[in-house]
Amino acid sequence: MSSRTRRMTTAVAGAAAISLLAACSSGGSSSTGGGTTSSPASTASASPTVTVVAGGSCSSGATKILFWAWVPGMGRAVTEFNKTHPDICVTQEDVGAGNPEYVAITNALKAGSGAPDVAEVEFDELPSFEVTKNVVNLVPYGANNYKSKFTTWAWDEVRQGDAVYAIPGDAGPMAFYYNTKLLAQYHITPPTTWAEFAADAAKLHKANPKAYMTNFSAIDLQWVMSLMAQDNAWPFAYSGGSNVTINWTGPKQMAFASYWQNLLSAHEVNATNDVSATSFADLDKGIDASWLSSAWGPSYFAPDAKSSLGNWRAAPLPQWTAGANVAANWGGSTYPVFTQSKHPKEAAEFSEWLNATDASWNITKTAPSSLFPTYLPLLNDPSFKNITVPLSGSSTPGVAFTAAASQIQGVPWPPFMTEALTQSATVFAGVMNGKETLQAAFTNFQNVLVTYAKAQGFNVSTG
């Protein structure tokens, strides 16, 4: 759900750049317990834009936990936790969505004090805090008791070996979200393969040169990588430590780039930024007939949908091999406990309650949070799958999204995604304006990331 906010904040990521492996080897806090610094609950000035969301007033006898998160409406769950756990008092602060929060956390960790006990951290960012040993192994606090409550892929992405470094929260399984009336106008049914998708894109654009099958946002790295994962073209390998593989130029990666570049060169897909006022206007006006979207996407599009309200349906993503059933995930967050916490046991108890209980999900599944779960009891609940939304009329888009959620394969995120996201805006800009091919951008990006990773002390493989 947090991918949209990331696009608006990547420019500040450089402010928090640190030598990752140097930080890892410089005597950082143990990853299995709390630190010895002063209580982070006393640092209300960690960011000039701090907003206290919930739990600002605590009784003197309660253990105080500081929680940073930006999900709208999350404070409702914090209030419920405090009500039902009188010995723990969680104060939620919003210091900014995505990178502003990560910058504030990184600065506090470098300073030795001021980090939250628990924070919302996207799946792709968690390894950056694992490699610096700044997150607590939650296994001693009962994390494995909740393993069976989560999708396998989500649990795999929060653990390394026998250690569990966060409790997974929401996710973003992807689907082909389309304007049923518009596709019917061009006699197109939802494509089941990417070959059919390309043929339909050509057919639609030929019939109406001002319309496109969808948009392709090359600068939206998380979105691009989600589609790469579905194509078995994931460009990273990492399992902790100092060894990392960076491969944007292998045969699978280049084939993926070639597929989309052919559509871009023929102007059969729209080269516009995703999750933007422009892209939503294009969807609503019939310029873009579909959106390769995450489960959280429709809630962001809904406020801008006027003429197309009620026309949108969800179908599975097209497949690279006919008859296959490979899904993709775009977005989602985890909730680690940081090693500066003086109260890791209570912080872990809060993270586990927030993400692994019906009491919490009954709150966060509803607006304005509208989180899509990795929590199986809700994910498998027929009433959740069959929810209707005004954007999709009487149809149930959750059926397609929940089906995709069970088919997602976990991916090994690199421990420097903040840097990758920051650089991608520049590296892929030429693809957006037609001055560079996607293949050339992939090659350039490979060089940029290899140089950066080596400078951080990683042993880099490129194949």
Side-chain angles (χ1 to χ4, degrees):
M1 175 164 182
S2 44
S3 293
R4 180 187 75 161
T5 57
R6 174 69 66 86
R7 277 181 283 283
M8 298 185 287
T9 58
T10 50
V12 303
I18 59 174
S19 178
L20 297 176
L21 288 181
C24 178
S25 60
S26 62
S29 301
S30 167
S31 60
T32 59
T36 58
T37 59
S38 61
S39 172
S42 63
T43 59
S45 61
S47 165
T49 58
V50 168
T51 300
V52 177
V53 177
S57 177
C58 297
S59 66
S60 59
T63 300
K64 298 176 178 60
I65 298 298
L66 182 62
F67 172 47
W68 285 359
W70 64 82
V71 169
M74 182 69 82
R76 299 171 299 159
V78 172
T79 298
E80 179 64 18
F81 177 86
N82 288 340
K83 178 182 175 181
T84 56
H85 298 73
D87 293 336
I88 304 174
C89 181
V90 178
T91 295
Q92 181 190 343
E93 293 179 349
D94 183 350
V95 301
N99 283 350
E101 183 198 89
Y102 304 143
V103 169
I105 292 173
T106 301
N107 288 342
L109 293 171
K110 289 168 66 178
S113 65
D117 294 86
V118 182
E120 176 181 357
V121 174
E122 292 162 288
F123 281 100
D124 59 310
E125 290 290 340
L126 184 61
S128 296
F129 293 108
E130 292 172 349
V131 74
T132 54
K133 298 184 179 179
N134 283 308
V135 286
V136 173
N137 177 10
L138 300 179
V139 171
Y141 305 110
N144 279 331
N145 295 335
Y146 301 94
K147 178 180 179 180
S148 63
K149 291 191 173 185
F150 292 94
T151 59
T152 300
W153 73 266
W155 196 260
D156 286 345
E157 289 196 17
V158 299
R159 70 175 182 88
Q160 284 190 8
D162 294 330
V164 176
Y165 289 110
I167 304 298
D170 66 309
M174 296 180 72
F176 178 76
Y177 204 55
Y178 65 99
N179 186 328
T180 184
K181 289 189 176 180
L182 193 60
L183 287 193
Q185 178 182 335
Y186 297 106
H187 306 289
I188 295 172
T189 57
T192 59
T193 67
W194 288 109
E196 291 175 4
F197 180 93
D200 289 340
K203 176 182 177 180
L204 189 153
H205 191 64
K206 181 178 181 180
N208 182 355
K210 294 183 179 180
Y212 305 88
M213 188 66 165
T214 194
N215 73 312
F216 186 87
S217 183
I219 62 171
D220 192 340
L221 184 62
Q222 291 168 312
W223 179 81
V224 171
M225 287 175 62
S226 296
L227 293 177
M228 291 175 73
Q230 198 231 5
D231 189 21
N232 194 30
W234 189 252
F236 297 107
Y238 182 69
S239 58
S242 60
N243 299 319
V244 62
T245 297
I246 305 173
N247 184 8
W248 287 81
T249 57
K252 291 292 294 184
Q253 290 77 18
M254 284 290 113
F256 174 91
S258 177
Y259 173 89
W260 286 105
Q261 185 58 51
N262 288 340
L263 292 173
L264 286 164
S265 297
H267 303 289
E268 292 166 355
V269 292
N270 196 2
T272 55
N273 292 356
D274 208 11
V275 196
S276 64
T278 297
S279 67
F280 289 150
D282 287 349
L283 289 168
D284 193 45
K285 295 175 182 177
I287 295 173
D288 292 346
S290 69
W291 184 20
L292 304 174
S293 178
S294 170
W296 49 259
S299 67
Y300 285 105
F301 173 31
D304 295 275
K306 297 176 177 62
S307 60
S308 67
L309 190 68
N311 295 343
W312 293 89
R313 304 291 183 266
L317 281 180
Q319 298 292 309
W320 291 99
T321 302
N325 186 18
V326 182
N329 182 71
W330 175 26
S333 295
T334 72
Y335 293 83
V337 174
F338 289 89
T339 51
Q340 277 188 16
S341 175
K342 292 184 68 175
H343 308 290
K345 177 179 180 294
E346 290 81 2
E349 182 177 352
F350 169 66
S351 180
E352 290 162 358
W353 179 91
L354 182 67
N355 299 288
T357 67
D358 291 348
S360 177
W361 275 106
N362 285 339
I363 297 169
T364 57
K365 72 180 181 182
T366 65
S369 305
S370 302
L371 295 182
F372 190 94
T374 57
Y375 178 64
L376 290 174
L378 179 57
L379 189 61
N380 295 330
D381 186 342
S383 66
F384 178 77
K385 299 178 184 180
N386 293 320
I387 290 174
T388 60
V389 294
L391 194 62
S392 295
S394 60
S395 70
T396 53
V399 171
F401 288 119
T402 54
S406 64
Q407 300 297 325
I408 293 168
Q409 298 295 315
V411 293
W413 295 100
F416 39 76
M417 269 301 292
T418 297
E419 178 69 14
L421 288 158
T422 302
Q423 295 294 339
S424 65
T426 300
V427 172
F428 291 96
V431 180
M432 300 293 288
N433 60 29
K435 294 182 179 180
E436 184 179 33
T437 67
L438 194 57
Q439 296 95 313
F442 272 24
T443 300
N444 188 15
F445 201 45
Q446 170 87 2
N447 294 333
V448 167
L449 293 183
V450 168
T451 299
Y452 176 81
K454 288 182 176 179
Q456 298 302 303
F458 287 97
N459 302 315
V460 179
S461 170
T462 57

